[in-house]
Amino acid sequence: MSAIQIRAFMAVAQHRSFSAAARALGLSQPTLTAQVQQLERRHAVQLFLRRGHGVELTDVGQRLLPLARQLGALEVEAYNLLHDNGQLNAGHLKLGAVGPFHVIEMVDAYRKRYPRIELSIRLGNSTSVFRDLQDYTIDLGVLARFHEPPGFTAIPYARHAIVLSVQAGHPFAERREIRIEELENMPLLQRESGSSTRRAIEAALRQAGVKPKVAMEIGSREALREASIRGMGIGTVSEAEFIPDERLRLVRIEGDPAFTETCLYCLDERRGSPLLMSFIDVAKGLRA
């Protein structure tokens, strides 16, 4: 199993097409097809099912893909070490995030420090970010801390209070902050199950013995913001994610009992990667 065959396999898996994969690698289609077929014949397996003009991974192919990505990442790190003595003059760093707020800040600072490193960002929810880390689809994840899954390293980045987002005409709108007890029986707009914001506010409400009314469950920040503007209920949002609007007011909860903490996550086994460490160090510098 050669590195060339692994690259060919990953390209076809990514593009779901032999012709598209060949173009991406700058190879002729017969050459790329031959590389994949040699890999299949050598190990007596079928990696792809041909479906019309496209392909799908077989069960074996799906299980091979994360291992191939791991090998690819190690190959890149070895090349960088040998080619430029670890000076990070080349490379591709893939990031995953649940939102743009912190990751863009980090990327901006990193590009100024390491302009030759290629960066890409993949947005998703917490579950997909952790899955992509495990599959080597991404190198680092930027998301709210809510547990410490085994096999991952978490590097704290920022902590933000959960605040209320209310319509300009709401009784709370003219106040800078309220007591958490004042949310008793109030209509609350809440995020979907699994949201770090929802977990944080629910924990604070339980501790205070407060039971609001759930006006609606909303699965995105944008939709929750629109519902707040329309007066459909009281929204809860991380202070870092509140977007000023003349139709909305930000109201704090006294003592900031609910908060989220943003962390950088990576696989434990990759914690020593010079490429990953370079990004982590830049991110830490932003909060120093």
Side-chain angles (χ1 to χ4, degrees), residues 180-226:
I180 194 169
E181 289 79 11
E182 294 180 75
L183 291 174
E184 183 76 30
N185 292 321
M186 295 297 286
L188 206 64
L189 300 169
Q190 66 180 17
R191 290 291 304 278
E192 73 281 2
S193 178
S195 159
S196 57
T197 300
R198 176 172 171 174
R199 280 193 297 268
I201 192 66
E202 285 182 339
L205 290 167
R206 280 196 305 270
Q207 187 171 355
V210 174
K211 294 182 179 180
K213 294 178 182 178
V214 177
M216 188 181 299
E217 181 178 301
I218 300 178
S220 79
R221 297 180 183 89
E222 294 76 14
L224 187 143
R225 179 173 178 273
E226 187 63 28

Side-chain angles (χ1 to χ4, degrees), residues 1-28:
M1 183 171 61
S2 68
I4 293 174
Q5 291 169 344
I6 287 294
R7 284 195 292 273
F9 164 73
M10 288 195 297
V12 177
Q14 177 183 351
H15 296 281
R16 293 293 195 270
S17 162
F18 278 84
S19 58
R23 288 193 297 271
L25 294 180
L27 301 173
S28 68

Side-chain angles (χ1 to χ4, degrees), residues 75-243:
E75 181 188 6
V76 170
E77 289 185 17
Y79 174 84
N80 288 340
L81 177 65
L82 296 172
H83 184 260
D84 57 22
N85 196 29
Q87 295 303 306
L88 299 178
N89 291 319
H92 183 188
L93 189 60
K94 300 179 288 295
L95 308 171
V98 296
F101 304 98
H102 288 306
V103 70
I104 296 299
E105 177 182 53
M106 297 176 187
V107 166
D108 182 41
Y110 188 81
R111 290 181 65 188
K112 292 172 182 174
R113 178 82 177 273
Y114 297 101
R116 296 185 180 181
I117 302 298
E118 182 182 353
L119 293 162
S120 58
I121 302 171
R122 184 184 180 108
L123 295 178
N125 58 31
S126 299
T127 300
S128 67
V129 170
F130 279 117
R131 182 178 62 245
D132 288 344
L133 283 168
Q134 288 178 315
D135 291 346
Y136 276 70
T137 304
I138 60 173
D139 303 304
L140 288 165
V142 182
L143 64 161
R145 180 182 223 157
F146 56 92
H147 62 77
E148 298 301 333
F152 291 93
T153 295
I155 301 96
Y157 180 71
R159 174 171 159 164
H160 297 286
I162 302 296
V163 298
L164 307 179
S165 173
V166 302
Q167 187 188 47
H170 191 277
F172 291 164
E174 299 304 318
R175 298 171 58 182
R176 181 178 177 276
E177 65 179 21
I178 66 162
R179 292 177 293 107
I180 194 169
E181 289 79 11
E182 294 180 75
L183 291 174
E184 183 76 30
N185 292 321
M186 295 297 286
L188 206 64
L189 300 169
Q190 66 180 17
R191 290 291 304 278
E192 73 281 2
S193 178
S195 159
S196 57
T197 300
R198 176 172 171 174
R199 280 193 297 268
I201 192 66
E202 285 182 339
L205 290 167
R206 280 196 305 270
Q207 187 171 355
V210 174
K211 294 182 179 180
K213 294 178 182 178
V214 177
M216 188 181 299
E217 181 178 301
I218 300 178
S220 79
R221 297 180 183 89
E222 294 76 14
L224 187 143
R225 179 173 178 273
E226 187 63 28
S228 299
I229 289 172
R230 292 177 178 270
M232 297 169 66
I234 298 172
T236 56
V237 63
S238 166
E239 186 177 15
E241 298 172 356
F242 180 83
I243 301 173

Side-chain angles (χ1 to χ4, degrees), residues 242-262:
F242 180 83
I243 301 173
D245 189 296
E246 62 181 11
R247 298 167 294 175
L248 285 177
R249 298 292 184 271
L250 182 156
V251 181
R252 305 189 76 88
I253 303 173
E254 187 178 81
D256 295 334
F259 60 87
T260 58
E261 186 178 19
T262 299

Side-chain angles (χ1 to χ4, degrees), residues 9 45-47 57-70 135:
F9 164 73
V45 296
Q46 185 176 6
L47 298 174
L57 285 163
T58 63
D59 180 63
V60 173
Q62 289 175 345
R63 286 184 285 146
L64 175 63
L65 185 57
L67 298 175
R69 286 172 174 155
Q70 183 175 357
D135 291 346

